[in-house]
Amino acid sequence: MLRDTSPPQTLPQSSAFGAGLGLLVTRPASTVTLTSAADTDAGSIAGQDISVRLGAIPIGETGSVCFRASVR
């Protein structure tokens, strides 16, 4: 699992990539948007905490997890 906490002076946007879609995950095989809710998909945003369940990651794989935040 990948976890990050946004700085306290920011507010992660829960619909940055579409209605309810707050995370954009790019891996060599695909790019997907994930919901911000802690539900059946692999991502969630709860307050300042961002998490993504990535599963098995092959050695040498690169990718990115993006979220947007506003400055308070």
Side-chain angles (χ1 to χ4, degrees), residues 3-60:
R3 294 182 180 172
D4 196 6
T5 301
S6 67
Q9 66 274 21
T10 64
L11 180 63
Q13 301 298 300
S14 61
S15 293
F17 301 100
L21 301 172
L23 297 164
L24 180 70
V25 179
T26 302
R27 295 178 81 170
S30 66
T31 297
V32 296
T33 51
L34 301 174
T35 62
S36 302
D39 55 12
T40 58
D41 77 2
S44 71
I45 297 175
Q48 302 302 113
D49 299 322
I50 294 100
S51 354
V52 178
R53 292 182 310 276
L54 296 171
I57 301 171
I59 293 172

